[in-house]
Amino acid sequence: MSFSSDVKKELCAIECESDCCQRAEAYGLLYFGRAFGKHDISLLTDYDFVAERYKAAIRFLIQKEPECVLSKSGKTTISVENGDDRMDLLNELGYTGSETSLRILTSNIEYECCFGAFIRGAFLSCGIVTDPKKEYHLEFDVAFKNKSRDFSEIFEDFPASPKQSDRNGVNIVYFKDSEQIENILTVMGAQVSVLEFINEKIFKDVRNHVNRKVNCDNANIRKTCQAAAQHREAIEKLIQSGRFDELSPELKELARLRLDNPEMTLSELGANLTHPLSRSGVNHRLKKIMEIADKTSK
Ligand SMILES: [Zn+2]
């Protein structure tokens, strides 16, 4: 089972508390189905439980059982075969059937409580949410441009603003922000799924943090080694040219310590001197050694 199907399954188990919300969900289910108009009202779905919810929506609106056809691909197609039933459904939802384009009628999403129910219906019909293990993405595949535009406007007062794009002629209304996806899941009533989503996000954040820390440590080790190699080169040059003895006792001690301990950081070198020195003090002395070595080679 995918995360998307888990969410849909959870949503289909919700019992609608009031008629107004049941109507809003039914509207979302029908409006965003495969077709919604006087010539065709139908839904194509992968899931039996969504098919059942769609049938229940039609029953709720016109007290009739829709025809159910199982297509060859294994998907379920539910369609309202009778033209009079289709007209009844359209009329029930405030359409005359002669509209050239069926805009969203907010009269079917009457109260604040109905918003989530409407989004739930829409999601059951045309929504997909990607597993948060992979990426943060929730989308509604809307058949027509004007429908996707209307749908985006529905979110105006909601703390999530969708983006729109066109994929092979299908209008996509989508969300990429994890918090916005959490808000959508919450308002639809997917309480279990939203917790799963948040858990996965926390797990991902912690893992990223650890990875960043490890990468950072590796980078620091690399830097330490590179610097140590430069110091050793300079010190060996001084020894070979016979000028090592010209160094002051403090510089000599540090040079020997550096040669013997290439893995030590500057602070560690400083701590191991007879008279302990700060990191910047060590840095200063090493620079001096390298300057003297530099003059030697000229
Ligand atoms: Zn309501």
Side-chain angles (χ1 to χ4, degrees):
M1 290 287 266
S2 66
F3 183 69
S4 211
S5 66
D6 287 347
V7 172
K8 289 191 179 186
K9 197 166 202 176
E10 187 186 358
L11 294 180
C12 283
I14 292 173
E15 285 197 28
C16 257
E17 16 345 276
S18 49
D19 275 9
C20 61
C21 292
Q22 204 160 345
R23 163 180 287 274
E25 186 195 299
Y27 182 45
L29 270 160
L30 265 68
Y31 187 83
F32 291 100
R34 184 180 67 174
F36 180 65
K38 72 177 164 192
H39 300 296
D40 186 5
I41 293 182
S42 60
L43 175 80
L44 184 70
T45 179
D46 289 321
Y47 310 112
D48 291 348
F49 43 86
V50 174
E52 287 304 320
R53 195 82 172 180
Y54 188 82
K55 281 199 256 178
I58 291 169
R59 270 199 303 274
F60 171 78
L61 291 170
I62 59 164
Q63 294 79 45
K64 272 196 183 142
E65 195 68 32
E67 187 117 352
C68 183
V69 185
L70 195 72
S71 75
K72 284 178 197 144
S73 63
K75 291 190 179 213
T76 305
T77 306
I78 305 132
S79 60
V80 182
E81 295 291 292
N82 184 303
D84 290 341
D85 291 346
R86 289 197 294 270
M87 276 313 293
D88 285 350
L89 280 167
L90 289 169
N91 293 339
E92 180 64 29
L93 291 167
Y95 299 99
T96 63
S98 53
E99 294 91 346
T100 42
S101 121
L102 299 183
R103 311 299 299 266
I104 290 180
L105 297 178
T106 46
S107 50
N108 292 313
I109 317 160
E110 206 168 356
Y111 308 106
E112 234 172 88
C113 59
C114 308
F115 175 78
F118 177 66
I119 303 300
R120 177 165 69 235
F123 183 80
L124 287 173
S125 276
C126 73
I128 301 168
V129 60
T130 307
D131 191 330
K133 283 191 184 78
K134 292 179 196 139
E135 62 169 331
Y136 303 134
H137 183 88
L138 186 148
E139 71 175 43
F140 296 86
D141 299 355
V142 184
F144 301 103
K145 191 91 200 153
N146 57 355
K147 279 192 170 186
S148 66
R149 216 177 294 133
D150 274 9
F151 188 49
S152 295
E153 281 169 16
I154 290 279
F155 290 94
E156 210 176 7
D157 298 324
F158 188 72
S161 45
K163 294 192 171 63
Q164 289 183 59
S165 78
D166 187 303
R167 190 196 297 144
N168 305 326
V170 179
N171 296 286
I172 315 282
V173 175
Y174 67 96
F175 300 86
K176 280 273 176 205
D177 180 83
S178 63
E179 251 172 69
Q180 295 197 349
I181 295 172
E182 283 161 31
N183 289 338
I184 301 282
L185 291 173
T186 305
V187 81
M188 292 194 298
Q191 317 299 355
V192 177
S193 300
V194 80
L195 279 181
E196 209 179 300
F197 187 94
I198 292 169
N199 274 341
E200 189 52 45
K201 191 171 132 185
I202 292 169
F203 178 73
K204 223 188 211 173
D205 284 351
V206 170
R207 197 178 46 203
N208 284 345
H209 179 77
V210 170
N211 283 343
R212 261 201 310 277
K213 179 98 178 62
V214 169
N215 286 340
C216 177
D217 286 351
N218 285 342
N220 281 339
I221 289 167
R222 217 172 15 251
K223 260 200 300 203
T224 304
C225 292
Q226 275 166 4
Q230 284 171 355
H231 301 150
R232 285 165 65 100
E233 206 184 309
I235 296 161
E236 275 160 8
K237 200 188 276 175
L238 284 172
I239 295 171
Q240 277 158 21
S241 65
R243 297 189 60 203
F244 187 77
D245 283 336
E246 287 175 26
L247 296 179
S248 67
E250 296 85 20
L251 293 185
K252 260 190 222 166
E253 187 193 4
L254 179 60
R256 285 200 195 93
L257 197 63
R258 171 82 292 180
L259 268 188
D260 295 341
N261 303 284
E263 77 293 345
M264 272 190 187
T265 63
L266 298 188
S267 318
E268 286 166 341
L269 288 172
N272 282 287
L273 291 169
T274 317
H275 302 290
L277 202 61
S278 69
R279 189 186 175 281
S280 67
V282 171
N283 192 32
H284 181 75
R285 284 191 189 171
L286 283 168
K287 266 196 185 139
K288 215 164 181 182
I289 295 174
M290 285 166 72
E291 270 169 29
I292 297 170
D294 222 25
K295 278 183 204 142
T296 306
S297 60
K298 277 173 191 159

